[in-house]
C-alpha cells in the first residue's frame, strides 16, 4: 500500500468516526428533545389537572356557601320577613353569628334592605342605589330569581375587597326579597395558598376577567409587586396578546415566559364565574424536576462518554498516525541512508512521468563495494553509502529524485534526456567521489559506474550498468536494444551452461597443424563448439569470455582435456598413431596450485602419453602473475606436458615473456599475417623475424596461426616457422570428421612408409 492510499484511508476512517460521532450526538439530541417534549407535555397535563382540581374545590366551596345561604333563605318564615321586620332583623343577627360570612343582608324588592356585619349586634339600613354597583347588580339578579355571585367590590361598611353570594327569597313562588352574604377572598386563599400545587413547585393565583390578580398567592414565582399578569415585561407581547384573547373568550391557555434566566410556563383556567381565572405558573422544570435532573445527568454522562470517546479516538488516531508514519518510514525509506527505497521511488516516478515525459533513469553502483566492507567494516561501508546519498542528493535538480536499492546501488530519476548532459552530470559526480575518497577518510579510491536508460526504466538502466560491470575503463553506459539482446543471450548462456556440460553439448572440434616444410599433419588444436539442443552451433568467442568471467571455464577446459584424452585413447585403441593435440586453457586454471595434479589425473585415467598434450595459454595471462605462472609451467613440464603461448605478439612485452617463461611453443597471432600492408607491416616483419629467430635460439617452436592462403604459408615458412595452422589446411572440424579426414590417411601414410 502506498502512502497516498494510507492517507486516504486515514481520512476515510476519521470521517467515519466523525460522522458516527455527529450521528450519535444527533440521536442523543433527538432523544433528549423527545424526552423533554414529553416531559413538558406531561408537565402541562399535570398542571392542567391540578388547576382543574383546585377549580373544582373552589367552586365546591362557593357552592357550599351558596347552599348555606339558600338553606338560610328557606329557613326564614315568610311571615317573619313580611310581617315583622324586627324579627327578621333579630334572625339575621343571630344567623350571621353562626356562619362564616363577613356580612349578611336582606333586600326587599323595592331596593331597601338591612345588613349585619360580622361581630356587630346592630343592623345597617341599606339602599341598593347607595351600594357598590357590583354588589347591587348581584342583588338585583337575585330579586329577579337568580342565584348570583357578585364581582369584587370594596364595601362601605366592611372596608375590604369582598364579594357577595345572593339568593332569592320566595313566598308562594314569588320573590319577596334577596338574602346576601358577604365574603372576602380569604375564602380562597386557604386553597390558593396551599403548598401542594405541583408537588410544592407550582404557584397558583386567582385572576379577574381583566387579568388582574384577585388573589395573589403569597408564594409567588415573580417576587415583584404586580397588579395584573400583564405588568412588567415578563410575558412577551405575543403571549400577552394571546392571554388577552383567551381572557376575552373565557378559554384556557398555556404560555411560556422567562424569569431570571429560567424558563417558566403558566396555565390559565376559567372558573366559569364572573370571568375569574385560576392562574398557575411554575419553572419549566419545576414540577417535573426529577425528569430534568435525570435528563441533565443523562446528558452529562453522555457528554462525558462522548468526550471520553473523542479522547480515545484522538489517542487512537495519534497512535495510528505515529504507527503509520513509522510503517511508511520502514516501507518507503532506506534505514541506512534515509533515502527513498525503490518502492517509493517507483511510485513517485509514475507521478513524475505523468507530468514530465522527458526523463531518464540512471543507476549508480560502486566498483568492488565488497572490498570497502572488508577493508573498513560494515560501519565504514554504511558511512560510504550515506556519503554517496548526500552527494547524489546534491547533484539533483528541481523535482528529480533518487533512491537506494540493495547494497551499493542508487537509482536516479533525472529530468534530462540529452545523453551528453547526463554524461556530464554523472561524470562530475563520479569524478568528485573518486577524488574525495582517494584523499579523505578512505584513502581508497571509490569508483562509481553508471547505467542510464533514457526514457526507460530501472531494469533497462541495470542492463546498461551490467554491460560495463567489469570494464574499469568505462564508467557510464547507456541502454540500447542491442545491449539488452546481448544481456538476454548472456543470461541464457549462464542459465544453461551447467546442464549443457552434463548433457555433453560441448563438443570437441579439431583443427589440424601442419609441418610447413612438407605440409604434413603434425598435430591439432582442440576447439570447443556448443551444440544447443535446438541444433544450433555456438562458437567459443560467444561464450568463452563469459565463462572466463563467471569461472565456468575451469570446468569446461578440464572437460575438453578429458575429451581430447578420450580421442587420443580412441586413436591408440584403433591402432592409429596419435598426434599431439593442443588444448586451450583459461588463465583461471593457472591460479589454482592443484591444476597440474588435476590435469595429470585426467590424462592418466585415459593412459595417454602426457607429451601428446600441449597446453595453450594466452599471452595476456602471463602478464598478471609472472611468478606463479613460472612455477605452474615448471610443474607442468615436470609432469611431461608441453606448454604453448597462444596469440603471441598481441601483448606488449612478448620478448620479456619469451626470456622468462620456459614455454615449448609460441603461436604467432594471425594478426601478423592479416594486417594491412604498408610501412607498419614492414616494421612488424622485422620484429617477427627477430622473434622467430630468438625463439629458435631458445629452442622454442614457432607455430603460425591463420594461414589462409598458399602465400601465407610461404611467408611464414620463409620466416622459419616450423608449424602452420589455418583454413588453408583445414577448418576446425568435429573429432569424428577429423579422424575420418586426417587420421585414416596418416595410418595409410605410415603404413606406406
Ligand atoms: P585460438 O586458441 O587462437 O584458436 C584459433 C581460432 O582461430 C579458432 O577460432 C579457429 O577457428 C580460428 N582460425 C583458425 N584458422 C583460421 C584462419 O585461417 N582464419 C581465421 N580467420 N580464423 C582461423 P575459434 O574456434 O572460434 O576459437 C576462438 C578462441 O576461443 C580460441 O582462439 C581460443 O582462445 C578460444 N577457445 C576455443 N576453444 C576453447 C576451449 O576449449 N577453452 C578455452 N579456454 N578457450 C577456447
Ligand atoms: Mg588456441
Ligand atoms: Mg590463437
Amino acid at each position: 500500500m502506498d502512502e497516498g492510499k494510507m492517507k486516504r484511508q486515514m481520512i476515510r476512517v476519521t470521517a467515519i468516526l466523525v460522522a458516527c460521532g455527529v450521528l450519535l450526538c444527533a440521536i442523543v439530541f433527538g432523544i433528549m428533545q423527545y424526552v423533554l417534549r414529553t416531559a413538558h407535555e406531561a408537565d402541562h397535563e399535570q398542571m392542567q389537572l391540578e388547576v382543574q382540581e383546585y377549580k373544582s374545590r373552589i367552586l365546591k366551596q362557593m357552592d357550599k356557601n351558596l347552599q348555606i345561604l339558600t338553606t338560610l333563605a328557606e329557613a326564614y318564615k315568610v311571615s317573619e320577613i313580611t310581617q315583622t321586620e324586627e324579627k327578621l332583623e333579630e334572625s339575621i343577627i343571630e344567623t350571621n353569628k353562626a356562619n362564616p360570612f363577613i356580612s349578611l343582608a336582606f333586600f326587599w324588592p323595592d331596593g331597601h334592605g338591612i345588613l349585619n356585619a360580622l361581630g356587630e349586634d346592630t343592623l345597617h339600613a341599606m339602599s341598593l342605589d347607595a351600594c357598590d354597583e357590583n354588589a347591587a347588580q348581584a342583588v338585583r339578579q337575585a330579586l329577579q330569581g337568580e342565584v348570583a355571585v357578585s364581582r369584587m367590590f370594596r364595601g362601605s361598611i366592611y372596608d375590604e375587597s369582598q364579594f357577595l353570594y345572593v339568593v332569592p327569597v320566595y313566598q308562594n313562588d314569588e320573590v319577596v326579597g334577596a338574602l346576601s352574604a358577604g365574603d372576602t377572598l380569604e375564602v380562597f386563599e386557604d386553597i390558593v395558598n396551599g403548598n401542594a400545587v405541583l408537588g410544592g413547585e407550582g404557584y397558583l393565583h386567582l385572576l379577574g376577567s381583566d387579568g388582574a390578580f384577585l388573589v395573589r398567592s403569597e408564594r409567588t414565582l415573580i417576587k415583584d409587586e404586580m397588579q395584573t399578569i400583564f405588568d412588567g415585561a415578563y410575558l412577551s407581547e405575543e403571549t400577552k396578546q394571546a392571554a388577552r384573547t383567551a381572557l376575552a373568550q373565557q378559554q384556557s391557555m398555556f404560555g411560556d415566559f422567562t424569569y431570571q434566566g429560567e424558563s417558566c410556563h403558566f396555565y390559565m383556567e376559567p372558573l366559569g364565574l364572573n370571568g375569574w381565572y385560576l392562574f398557575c405558573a411554575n419553572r419549566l422544570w419545576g414540577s417535573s424536576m426529577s425528569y430534568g435532573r435525570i435528563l441533565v445527568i443523562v446528558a452529562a454522562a453522555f457528554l462525558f462518554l462522548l468526550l471520553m470517546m473523542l479522547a480515545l479516538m484522538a489517542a487512537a488516531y495519534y497512535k495510528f498516525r505515529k504507527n503509520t508514519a513509522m510503517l511508511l518510514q520502514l516501507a518507503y525509506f532506506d534505514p541506512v541512508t534515509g533515502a527513498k527505497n525503490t518502492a517509493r521511488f517507483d511510485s513517485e516516478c509514475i507521478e513524475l512521468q505523468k507530468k514530465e515525459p522527458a526523463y531518464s533513469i540512471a543507476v549508480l553502483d560502486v566498483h568492488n563495494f565488497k572490498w570497502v566492507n572488508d577493508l573498513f567494516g560494515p560501519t565504514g561501508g554504511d558511512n560510504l553509502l550515506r556519503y554517496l546519498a548526500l552527494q547524489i542528493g546534491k547533484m539533483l535538480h528541481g523535482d528529480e529524485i533518487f533512491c537506494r536499492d540493495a547494497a551499493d546501488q542508487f537509482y536516479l530519476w533525472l529530468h534530462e534526456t540529452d545523453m551528453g548532459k547526463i554524461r556530464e552530470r554523472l561524470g562530475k559526480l563520479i569524478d568528485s567521489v573518486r577524488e574525495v575518497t582517494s584523499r579523505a577518510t578512505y584513502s581508497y579510491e571509490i569508483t562509481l559506474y553508471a547505467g542510464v536508460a533514457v526514457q526507460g526504466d530501472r531494469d533497462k538502466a541495470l542492463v546498461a550498468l551490467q554491460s560495463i560491470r567489469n570494464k574499469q575503463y568505462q564508467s557510464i553506459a547507456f541502454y540500447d536494444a542491442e545491449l539488452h539482446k546481448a544481456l538476454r543471450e548472456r543470461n541464457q548462456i549462464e542459465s544453461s551452461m551447467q546442464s549443457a556440460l552434463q548433457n555433453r553439448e560441448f563438443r570437441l572440434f579439431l583443427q589440424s597443424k601442419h609441418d610447413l616444410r612438407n605440409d604434413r599433419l603434425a598435430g591439432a588444436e582442440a576447439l570447443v563448439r556448443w551444440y544447443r539442443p535446438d541444433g544450433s552451433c555456438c562458437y567459443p568467442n560467444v561464450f568463452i569470455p563469459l565463462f572466463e568471467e563467471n569461472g565456468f571455464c575451469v570446468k569446461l577446459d578440464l572437460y575438453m582435456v578429458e575429451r581430447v584424452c578420450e580421442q587420443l585413447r580412441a586413436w591408440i585403441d584403433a591402432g592409429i598413431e596419435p598426434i599431439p593435440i593442443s588444448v586451450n586453457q583459461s588463465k583461471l586454471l593457472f591460479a589454482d596450485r592443484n591444476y597440474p595434479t588435476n590435469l595429470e589425473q585426467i590424462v592418466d585415467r585415459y593412459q595417454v602419453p602426457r607429451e601428446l598434450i600441449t597446453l595453450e595459454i594466452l599471452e595476456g595471462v602471463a602478464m598478471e602473475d609472472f611468478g606463479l605462472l613460472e612455477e605452474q609451467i615448471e610443474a607442468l613440464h615436470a609432469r611431461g606436458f608441453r606448454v604453448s603461448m597462444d596469440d603471441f605478439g598481441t601483448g606488449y612485452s612478448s620478448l620479456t615473456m619469451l626470456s622468462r617463461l620456459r614455454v615449448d611453443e609460441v603461436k604467432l597471432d594471425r594478426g601478423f599475417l592479416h594486417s594491412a600492408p604498408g610501412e607498419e607491416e614492414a616494421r612488424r616483419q622485422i620484429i617477427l623475424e627477430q622473434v622467430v629467430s630468438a625463439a629458435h635460439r631458445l629452442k622454442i617452436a614457432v607455430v603460425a596461426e591463420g594461414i589462409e592462403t598458399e602465400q601465407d604459408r610461404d611467408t611464414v615458412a620463409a620466416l622459419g616457422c616450423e608449424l602452420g595452422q589455418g583454413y588453408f589446411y583445414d577448418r576446425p572440424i568435429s573429432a569424428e570428421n577429423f579422424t575420418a579426414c586426417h587420421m585414416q590417411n596418416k595410418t595409410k601414410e605410415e603404413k606406406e612408409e
Side-chain angles (χ1 to χ4, degrees):
M1 196 191 317
D2 64 18
E3 194 185 5
K5 221 172 180 180
M6 268 178 146
K7 270 190 183 156
R8 279 197 293 280
Q9 225 172 51
M10 242 156 62
I11 291 168
R12 209 173 303 146
V13 168
T14 314
I16 290 171
L17 285 176
V18 169
C20 284
V22 168
L23 192 72
L24 213 66
C25 284
I27 290 171
V28 169
F29 184 73
I31 291 173
M32 277 176 68
Q33 283 291 312
Y34 174 74
V35 171
L36 280 172
R37 208 172 44 243
T38 312
H40 201 53
E41 277 167 12
D43 218 17
H44 273 186
E45 241 168 69
Q46 184 66 20
M47 195 182 240
Q48 191 173 29
L49 221 72
E50 289 200 23
V51 167
Q52 280 168 354
E53 166 73 17
Y54 272 91
K55 174 182 165 180
S56 82
R57 278 169 67 188
I58 288 169
L59 289 177
K60 249 186 221 160
Q61 179 74 40
M62 287 175 74
D63 207 38
K64 198 176 111 195
N65 286 349
L66 272 172
Q67 262 183 14
I68 292 170
L69 200 63
T70 310
T71 313
L72 282 177
E74 288 284 319
Y76 283 119
K77 294 267 176 359
V78 172
S79 56
E80 281 174 25
I81 300 163
T82 50
Q83 287 170 10
T84 57
E85 235 171 76
E86 264 172 50
K87 276 205 171 173
L88 178 69
E89 286 168 2
E90 260 173 54
S91 169
I92 281 177
I93 293 166
E94 285 310 306
T95 311
N96 202 20
K97 279 180 186 162
N99 282 294
F101 308 118
I102 56 164
S103 66
L104 198 66
F106 185 86
F107 288 90
W108 281 267
D110 61 1
H112 82 279
I114 48 171
L115 179 144
N116 173 250
L118 188 68
E120 288 180 8
D121 289 332
T122 52
L123 288 165
H124 301 269
M126 302 292 290
S127 161
L128 278 183
D129 297 335
C131 276
D132 178 274
E133 187 44 39
N134 284 336
Q137 195 187 343
V139 173
R140 281 191 196 107
Q141 269 179 274
L143 288 174
Q144 298 289 318
E146 280 177 42
V147 175
V149 177
S150 79
R151 288 173 183 262
M152 301 296 290
F153 66 92
R154 246 188 145 75
S156 53
I157 295 156
Y158 207 88
D159 185 20
E160 207 172 307
S161 189
Q162 56 180 286
F163 66 95
L164 294 181
Y165 303 103
V166 197
V167 295
V169 179
Y170 290 92
Q171 186 183 39
N172 301 328
D173 293 335
E174 199 182 316
V175 179
V176 290
L179 189 63
S180 81
D183 207 350
T184 60
L185 282 174
E186 278 167 33
V187 171
F188 304 119
E189 280 179 19
D190 287 344
I191 301 165
V192 175
N193 282 351
N195 280 348
V197 192
L198 297 172
E201 297 291 339
Y203 303 90
L204 197 62
H205 312 284
L206 189 68
L207 300 183
S209 59
D210 53 356
F213 287 102
L214 296 180
V215 177
R216 189 155 180 241
S217 167
E218 281 173 11
R219 292 180 62 253
T220 55
L221 178 64
I222 298 171
K223 301 294 174 215
D224 307 352
E225 191 55 45
M226 289 174 79
Q227 296 307 316
T228 76
I229 56 167
F230 303 113
D231 290 358
Y234 303 108
L235 301 188
S236 69
E237 281 312 312
E238 225 171 286
T239 313
K240 278 181 185 170
Q241 191 51 47
R244 280 197 184 98
T245 312
L247 286 170
Q249 296 174 355
Q250 286 291 292
Q251 284 172 343
S252 61
M253 165 192 174
F254 282 108
D256 295 301
F257 63 96
T258 309
Y259 176 64
Q260 291 182 338
E262 277 187 281
S263 294
C264 304
H265 60 163
F266 68 87
Y267 176 64
M268 299 192 325
E269 171 79 22
L271 268 186
L273 190 74
N274 294 335
W276 291 352
Y277 265 83
L278 271 176
F279 179 91
C280 182
N282 80 335
R283 291 186 176 85
L284 199 54
W285 295 112
S287 60
S288 44
M289 197 59 177
S290 49
Y291 276 122
R293 282 211 183 112
I294 290 167
L295 270 179
V296 168
I297 289 165
V298 166
F302 173 75
L303 206 72
F304 177 72
L305 279 175
L306 196 75
L307 284 175
M308 286 284 285
M309 205 177 94
L310 281 174
L312 271 172
M313 261 162 61
Y317 180 73
Y318 174 74
K319 189 110 186 108
F320 176 70
R321 274 200 72 142
K322 220 172 120 179
N323 286 349
T324 308
M326 214 168 77
L327 277 176
L328 285 177
Q329 183 70 26
L330 283 176
Y332 294 121
F333 293 90
D334 162 39
V336 177
T337 61
K340 296 172 174 66
N341 66 9
T342 47
R344 174 87 184 205
F345 179 80
D346 288 344
S347 69
E348 285 191 16
C349 281
I350 293 171
E351 295 307 312
L352 283 168
Q353 278 147 222
K354 275 185 205 161
K355 284 189 286 174
E356 187 47 70
Y359 69 94
S360 296
I361 302 271
V363 55
L364 275 166
D365 198 310
V366 182
H367 268 305
N368 298 321
F369 181 66
K370 199 178 130 358
W371 291 0
V372 177
N373 269 333
D374 290 348
L375 280 171
F376 305 102
T379 321
D382 286 354
N383 285 341
L384 173 65
L385 292 174
R386 277 191 279 272
Y387 168 73
L388 291 177
L390 204 72
Q391 296 310 309
I392 294 170
K394 279 185 193 165
M395 68 148 300
L396 298 182
H397 299 163
D399 54 2
E400 294 178 339
I401 54 167
F402 79 100
C403 76
R404 180 189 162 222
D405 193 12
D408 56 340
Q409 271 175 7
F410 291 89
Y411 284 97
L412 289 71
W413 186 93
L414 301 175
H415 195 164
E416 188 70 74
T417 48
D418 184 308
M419 284 163 75
K421 284 188 184 152
I422 294 172
R423 203 182 283 280
E424 190 189 314
R425 287 179 64 189
L426 292 177
K428 254 190 209 163
L429 174 75
I430 293 170
D431 289 348
S432 92
V433 168
R434 185 189 293 124
E435 197 194 306
V436 170
T437 52
S438 62
R439 59 180 155 79
T441 6
Y442 289 99
S443 61
Y444 171 87
E445 205 174 79
I446 300 293
T447 35
L448 299 176
Y449 61 116
V452 186
V454 176
Q455 294 195 300
D457 53 22
R458 289 202 290 122
D459 288 342
K460 288 181 177 166
L462 209 56
V463 167
L465 183 87
Q466 280 169 355
S467 72
I468 51 165
R469 175 152 287 158
N470 297 308
K471 298 178 185 167
Q472 293 279 349
Y473 53 87
Q474 190 181 349
S475 57
I476 300 170
F478 284 84
Y479 170 87
D480 65 43
E482 279 303 307
L483 212 63
H484 204 176
K485 198 174 146 219
L487 195 87
R488 255 210 321 270
E489 276 172 11
R490 186 189 157 109
N491 288 341
Q492 211 188 357
I493 289 172
E494 288 199 306
S495 65
S496 58
M497 61 191 189
Q498 298 284 2
S499 62
L501 194 72
Q502 275 167 11
N503 302 336
R504 289 182 161 241
E505 288 173 25
F506 296 106
R507 304 253 282 269
L508 172 67
F509 269 57
L510 292 169
Q511 187 179 27
S512 57
K513 275 160 112 180
H514 295 262
D515 187 329
L516 286 172
R517 287 163 303 180
N518 52 19
D519 288 343
R520 278 192 179 176
L521 182 69
E525 179 176 6
L527 294 160
V528 66
R529 296 288 181 268
W530 183 357
Y531 275 87
R532 313 295 288 262
D534 62 5
S536 63
C537 174
C538 193
Y539 286 84
N541 57 330
V542 175
F543 55 87
I544 290 292
L546 177 58
F547 290 174
E548 291 268 7
E549 257 178 54
N550 64 23
F552 188 67
C553 240
V554 171
K555 276 189 181 175
L556 179 66
D557 286 354
L558 293 179
Y559 172 87
M560 289 303 287
V561 169
E562 197 161 345
R563 297 287 77 77
V564 165
C565 292
E566 203 173 51
Q567 186 57 67
L568 287 169
R569 184 74 252 157
W571 286 337
I572 295 166
D573 290 349
I576 300 169
E577 179 67 25
I579 50 165
I581 302 182
S582 307
V583 201
N584 291 291
Q585 299 286 275
S586 150
K587 63 176 177 182
L588 298 175
L589 284 166
F590 286 82
D592 179 9
R593 290 202 175 267
N594 294 326
Y595 165 58
T597 320
N598 293 343
L599 208 60
E600 182 183 50
Q601 281 170 357
I602 297 169
V603 177
D604 289 357
R605 209 179 312 142
Y606 289 88
Q607 292 183 319
V608 167
R610 293 177 195 165
E611 63 275 12
L612 288 182
I613 308 286
T614 302
L615 304 160
E616 282 190 15
I617 53 171
L618 290 172
E619 188 194 333
V621 182
M623 292 160 71
E624 285 180 16
D625 190 348
F626 230 88
L628 179 64
L629 192 60
E630 268 183 304
E631 284 175 36
Q632 295 284 53
I633 290 173
E634 188 99 339
L636 290 168
H637 276 157
R639 285 166 177 78
F641 295 109
R642 294 182 79 246
V643 179
S644 167
M645 183 149 291
D646 204 353
D647 298 348
F648 187 76
T650 50
Y652 290 99
S653 48
S654 307
L655 280 176
T656 322
M657 222 163 314
L658 211 56
S659 67
R660 283 191 58 182
L661 297 178
R662 298 184 176 276
V663 293
D664 304 282
E665 176 188 279
V666 290
K667 286 182 90 171
L668 295 182
D669 187 68
R670 65 191 155 87
F672 279 110
L673 278 175
H674 300 119
S675 56
E679 198 191 333
E680 203 185 319
E681 163 70 5
R683 295 169 72 90
R684 204 203 301 259
Q685 185 77 15
I686 296 166
I687 293 168
L688 207 53
E689 279 170 14
Q690 292 306 313
V691 167
V692 172
S693 100
H696 281 164
R697 270 190 272 155
L698 291 166
K699 305 238 173 342
I700 295 172
V702 182
V703 183
E705 272 190 309
I707 298 173
E708 292 180 351
T709 59
E710 201 171 351
Q711 193 196 340
D712 288 345
R713 194 260 322 262
D714 294 344
T715 310
V716 289
L719 272 173
C721 296
E722 287 91 347
L723 297 173
Q725 179 183 346
Y727 295 168
F728 173 68
Y729 293 112
D730 204 354
R731 290 181 172 257
I733 49 175
S734 69
E736 297 79 30
N737 283 347
F738 189 90
T739 308
C741 292
H742 297 285
M743 301 312 281
Q744 307 301 345
N745 293 345
K746 194 166 186 298
T747 324
K748 254 186 247 163
E749 275 169 30
E750 270 160 20
K751 275 180 189 158
E752 280 165 14
E753 277 174 16

